[in-house]
Amino acid sequence: MDADEREVSPEQAFSLLGNDTRIGIIQALWKADEPLSFSDLHDRVEIRDSGQFNYHLNKLVGLFVRQVDGKYELTFAGSQVIGAILSGTYTQRAETERFELDANCPDCGTELTATYEEERVTIRCETCDEDRSTFGLPPGAFEGRDESELQRTFERWLLNVFSLMADGVCLRCSGKTIGSLITESEYFYSNQEVGIEFVCERCGDRASGNLGTYLLRHPAVVAFHYDHGIDLTKATVWELEWLSGDNERLVSEAPLVAECVVTLDGDELTLTVDEELAVHVED
Ligand SMILES: [Zn+2]
Ligand SMILES: [Zn+2]
C-alpha cells in the first residue's frame, strides 16, 4: 500500500468487508496466531475456487491484511474488525434483560436493578424512579459470565470508559477528547447543578457524569476512602452514598468552579474543580 492509498473512506472500508469469504479470511488469520502462506490460508477458508479466493484476499491486502515475507497477517485495522465481530456489537441483537444488582440505592436502600436494552445498560432505582447511570456495552460482555459477575463488569466498564475519556482518549475512535464542566444536561438528576462532560474532537462521541465519578480516581479521594476502610478498586460505586450527586454544587459561574464534598463516617473531604477540570483539595 502506498501513501496515496492510506486514506480510505468509511464507505470503502465497510464495503470491503461485506463478503463472507473476506470475513472468513480475517477470522482464519486471527485464529492462526502466526502469518500464513497463501496455500495455508486458502486451506482454512471455505472457498474452492482459487481465483475467487485470490480476488477476495487481494481486496483485503493493504487496509486489513498485510504481506510479510510472502505470508499474510492481520493489520491493526484487521484485528479491530475481529474485535467488533467478537464483541458482538454489529452481529447480535441482544434481547432486553433485567438484573437485580447486589447493590442498594443510597437514597432509599432499595435494591438497584440493571436493564440491558439495545446495547445499553441502565442502572436504576425503581422506588426513587430514578436512573443512576446509563452507558453502552457490547453484547460480548454477557458471554461466559453469570449474573453475579455482571455487576462488576458493568461497573468496571463504565469507570474505565469514563477514565479513558478523562485521560483524553476516545473509546470509539481514539481521537482526542476535551473535558469541561457543564451546568445543563438531559442526563442530570433533578437538583443537579453541575456535571462533567468529555467530547471527542474527532468523532463527536460524548460521555458525561457527575463530579464524583471524575474524582473517584483522584489520589486524595482514593486515600480518604482507604483511611475509612474502603478499597475503591473493589467497592461498588453505586452504593457510595456521597456519590449520589447531592453533595456537588456550583461555587462560581464566571469562572466556572464546582465543589464536591466527600463524606465518610462524618468526616469530610472537600474538592473543587475548575473549568479546565483541575482539582484542588481544600484544607
Ligand atoms: Zn432509591
Ligand atoms: Zn472519537
Side-chain angles (χ1 to χ4, degrees):
M1 177 167 69
D2 63 45
D4 294 341
E5 289 173 299
R6 230 167 257 275
E7 283 289 325
V8 179
S9 72
E11 291 80 5
Q12 286 171 310
F14 280 108
S15 71
L16 284 173
L17 295 169
N19 174 283
D20 287 350
T21 301
R22 294 179 205 167
I23 295 296
I25 290 170
I26 289 176
Q27 285 177 314
L29 288 171
W30 174 256
K31 283 184 194 145
D33 282 336
E34 57 177 2
L36 294 178
S37 68
F38 182 86
S39 59
D40 275 348
L41 180 54
H42 192 186
D43 285 347
R44 294 171 197 220
V45 178
E46 266 183 52
I47 180 167
R48 296 252 286 285
D49 184 329
S50 208
Q52 277 291 311
F53 174 74
N54 193 28
Y55 168 78
H56 289 302
L57 177 58
N58 279 326
K59 286 284 180 191
L60 296 174
V61 170
L63 188 58
F64 298 110
V65 173
R66 76 172 144 245
Q67 240 181 318
V68 180
D69 300 332
K71 294 188 171 186
Y72 297 90
E73 64 182 12
L74 291 180
T75 60
F76 181 69
S79 58
Q80 294 284 85
V81 170
I82 282 293
I85 292 170
L86 291 179
S87 71
T89 304
Y90 306 125
T91 52
Q92 294 172 9
R93 290 303 306 165
E95 291 172 19
T96 303
E97 290 182 82
R98 196 167 168 279
F99 309 92
E100 303 281 328
L101 295 180
D102 185 22
N104 298 324
C105 170
D107 287 337
C108 73
T110 307
E111 199 161 76
L112 295 170
T113 60
T115 310
Y116 189 62
E117 190 172 21
E118 296 190 338
E119 280 131 45
R120 289 190 75 76
V121 177
T122 302
I123 308 290
R124 187 174 166 72
C125 173
E126 297 293 352
T127 307
C128 296
D129 193 23
E130 233 173 69
D131 292 346
R132 298 206 36 99
S133 56
T134 170
F135 51 93
L137 181 72
F142 293 84
E143 211 170 287
R145 291 197 175 92
D146 62 34
E147 210 170 315
S148 65
E149 293 169 283
L150 285 175
Q151 177 172 320
R152 187 164 170 82
T153 306
F154 293 161
E155 184 188 31
R156 291 295 128 176
W157 171 267
L158 171 68
L159 291 180
N160 281 301
V161 167
F162 201 70
S163 189
L164 191 67
M165 296 288 273
D167 282 333
V169 184
C170 174
L171 176 77
R172 197 174 298 280
C173 79
S174 310
K176 190 175 163 187
T177 61
I178 299 291
S180 59
L181 289 178
I182 51 169
T183 53
E184 267 174 41
S185 163
E186 55 176 312
Y187 299 112
F188 276 8
Y189 309 114
S190 52
N191 303 331
Q192 188 173 347
E193 290 181 1
V194 61
I196 285 188
E197 182 177 67
F198 299 98
V199 181
C200 175
E201 288 186 325
R202 186 157 175 262
C203 75
D205 202 17
R206 288 163 188 271
S208 62
N210 54 15
L211 248 52
T213 308
Y214 176 64
L215 293 170
L216 271 177
R217 50 196 219 133
H218 191 279
V221 175
V222 173
F224 186 64
H225 282 78
Y226 192 71
D227 290 343
H228 287 82
I230 299 171
D231 178 351
L232 277 185
T233 64
K234 297 200 173 73
T236 301
V237 291
W238 297 303
E239 279 190 307
L240 296 172
E241 208 164 327
W242 68 268
L243 200 54
S244 61
D246 294 346
N247 56 329
E248 302 179 357
R249 63 186 188 93
L250 214 51
V251 179
S252 145
E253 294 201 35
L256 219 48
V257 180
E259 178 189 83
C260 176
V261 182
V262 184
T263 308
L264 293 174
D265 305 331
D267 295 332
E268 289 187 351
L269 174 70
T270 303
L271 304 103
T272 57
V273 179
D274 70 19
E275 233 157 338
E276 271 79 52
L277 302 191
V279 179
H280 180 75
V281 183
E282 303 289 310
D283 297 321

